[in-house]
Amino acid sequence: MKIFVNIGSYWPLGLSVNAVYEQLLMQGVKIDRRTLLAAKSGTLTKSDFATLIKLRNWVRQLRNDDKLTIDDILKQED
């Protein structure tokens, strides 16, 4: 079984990884560009717990949904 972080379905159209990276930096949130790219494409398999929280919080902010959980951004393959 493999677990992936996949935020691609939440990613706004036309928004580049670099733009998101810069936007997050302005908010005081540091997430590596490679991590953002992997999460966007659904191939992120390894990460710190803190990064998962940061990604979840960013998606919550995008969706204006405080009920979104980490499970919502995880995908499982058998």
Side-chain angles (χ1 to χ4, degrees), residues 41-71:
S41 64
T43 59
L44 183 62
T45 57
K46 296 180 182 177
S47 183
D48 289 337
F49 293 121
T51 302
L52 290 176
I53 299 294
K54 291 174 186 178
L55 288 168
R56 185 218 45 205
N57 289 346
W58 181 66
V59 173
R60 278 182 172 181
Q61 180 184 11
L62 283 176
R63 306 292 279 189
N64 197 23
D65 180 3
D66 288 341
K67 295 180 182 175
L68 189 116
T69 67
I70 289 177
D71 286 347

Side-chain angles (χ1 to χ4, degrees), residues 1-3 6 11-12 14 19 24 26 35-37 42 45 49-51 55 58 62 65 73-75 77:
M1 170 183 359
K2 285 191 171 189
I3 306 293
N6 185 347
W11 199 278
L24 289 171
M26 297 289 276
T35 301
L36 288 169
L37 181 60
T45 57
F49 293 121
T51 302
L55 288 168
W58 181 66
L62 283 176
D65 180 3
I73 64 172
L74 297 178
K75 303 298 176 208
E77 266 185 18

